[in-house]
Amino acid sequence: MSSYATAPESVFDQIRSNFLQKYKSNIEKELYHPKDVERIKANSNWLRAFYKHSIDDSDKTVEMIHDVLKWRKDFDCNSLLIPGKLPVPEELFKKGALFRRNEDNQCNPLLHFVIKTHKKDQFPAEQIQRFIAFFFEKNYKFNTEDPIVLLLDMADTGYSNLDMDLIKFIVTCLKTYYPGLIDYMIIFQMPFIFNAAWKIIKNWLPPQAIKLIKFVDKKSIKELVHESQLFVHMGGTC
């Protein structure tokens, strides 16, 4: 079995062919967005991302493609980035909860999620999910070559900021719906009161995903991100 990084183009040609044949009726019924079907037909780099997340299993890759394209159609992902049209109320963007700024030591862009800005039920769950998906979609390159780092800034957070439904949505997006989006995740200053929640979250993750999560404080985060790329409250200088 070839690894995702060294697999020849013939592997992805076969995966593509198997998907298009197995789910031909779904395609004809437009159960997937036509734009995503075209990506499958034309973009072997996206197939490589699916293959990697399926642990180099061609059959599982085909099923994952189906699951992701079905979700993308149901969630209407291709409408998230329509120029001049926000997918959620502007107020959500003004909170400053999610933004892309600076890079880690490997030059991967950092997508910050400031957890203290979020309180469960402050906005409808669907709006929050689409808000997060907007940033994932905006930063997704449909390959494995241009990942980002998701930085969960948990400084000054408490129980009022804990939203297990939202966390489960984020985990599902990263585990399934956006293969190749992140290189790893940084969790900055998680309060000990969230330890019980973390034990639950771990059960949602495969072992290989758990290895990609880095818990850090002001000192250890500098092993991943230079202080010039960190905010002052994280021990940085920017």
Side-chain angles (χ1 to χ4, degrees):
M1 181 183 296
S2 302
S3 76
Y4 81 94
T6 60
E9 187 66 25
S10 59
V11 170
F12 304 107
D13 288 341
Q14 189 61 57
I15 289 171
R16 181 184 293 109
S17 176
N18 290 347
F19 170 75
L20 295 175
Q21 181 177 354
K22 182 172 183 177
Y23 292 105
K24 180 179 179 181
S25 63
N26 284 4
I27 295 170
E28 292 173 345
K29 295 174 184 175
E30 294 194 354
L31 297 184
Y32 316 126
H33 195 287
K35 184 179 291 187
D36 289 331
V37 174
E38 288 305 310
R39 288 189 178 108
I40 293 298
K41 291 179 178 179
N43 188 353
S44 291
N45 288 328
W46 198 20
L47 295 180
R48 197 176 294 272
F50 283 112
Y51 192 58
K52 177 184 179 181
H53 273 244
S54 301
I55 320 298
D56 302 345
D57 185 312
S58 294
D59 292 336
K60 288 182 179 178
T61 301
V62 169
E63 297 310 309
M64 185 180 181
I65 293 170
H66 159 71
D67 291 341
V68 171
L69 264 61
K70 181 67 168 59
W71 175 79
R72 288 180 60 82
K73 177 67 183 295
D74 294 343
F75 200 77
D76 200 15
C77 287
N78 284 285
S79 72
L80 289 170
L81 301 181
I82 296 176
K85 180 180 178 182
L86 294 178
V88 296
E90 187 176 3
E91 185 179 356
L92 271 168
F93 289 89
K94 291 180 178 179
K95 289 169 61 67
L98 267 166
F99 54 90
R100 175 171 159 168
R101 183 138 343 138
N102 297 338
E103 300 176 336
D104 75 347
N105 291 338
Q106 305 303 316
C107 298
N108 293 314
L110 297 173
L111 181 63
H112 297 251
F113 188 178
V114 184
I115 304 300
K116 69 180 182 181
T117 65
H118 173 73
K119 287 184 170 54
K120 185 177 175 65
D121 299 328
Q122 189 174 14
F123 294 91
E126 182 180 355
Q127 288 186 4
I128 297 295
Q129 289 177 3
R130 290 190 64 78
F131 174 69
I132 290 171
F134 168 84
F135 281 92
F136 286 172
E137 193 79 8
K138 188 174 182 179
N139 287 279
Y140 192 45
K141 305 303 180 185
F142 298 92
N143 62 34
T144 61
E145 307 303 319
D146 303 289
I148 62 170
V149 172
L150 181 60
L151 198 170
L152 299 188
D153 180 357
M154 300 193 71
D156 303 321
T157 57
Y159 276 127
S160 64
N161 307 115
L162 180 62
D163 186 341
M164 293 299 283
D165 291 333
L166 179 59
I167 293 172
K168 192 165 190 176
F169 174 76
I170 293 172
V171 166
T172 303
C173 282
L174 299 179
K175 183 175 69 172
T176 303
Y177 299 144
Y178 288 94
L181 172 64
I182 69 165
D183 192 29
Y184 61 95
M185 180 189 302
I186 298 173
I187 299 182
F188 176 72
Q189 286 192 336
M190 185 180 81
F192 73 91
I193 59 174
F194 288 96
N195 287 343
W198 168 239
K199 291 179 180 178
I200 296 173
I201 295 166
K202 282 179 67 175
N203 292 326
W204 300 340
L205 297 167
Q208 65 270 21
I210 295 174
K211 295 177 183 178
L212 300 179
I213 299 176
K214 318 293 184 183
F215 292 90
V216 300
D217 55 21
K218 287 185 179 181
K219 181 179 179 180
S220 58
I221 194 173
K222 293 176 185 177
E223 298 173 9
L224 302 169
V225 185
H226 191 271
E227 64 179 16
S228 66
Q229 301 291 299
L230 291 169
F231 296 120
V232 172
H233 79 276
M234 292 180 169
T237 59
C238 78

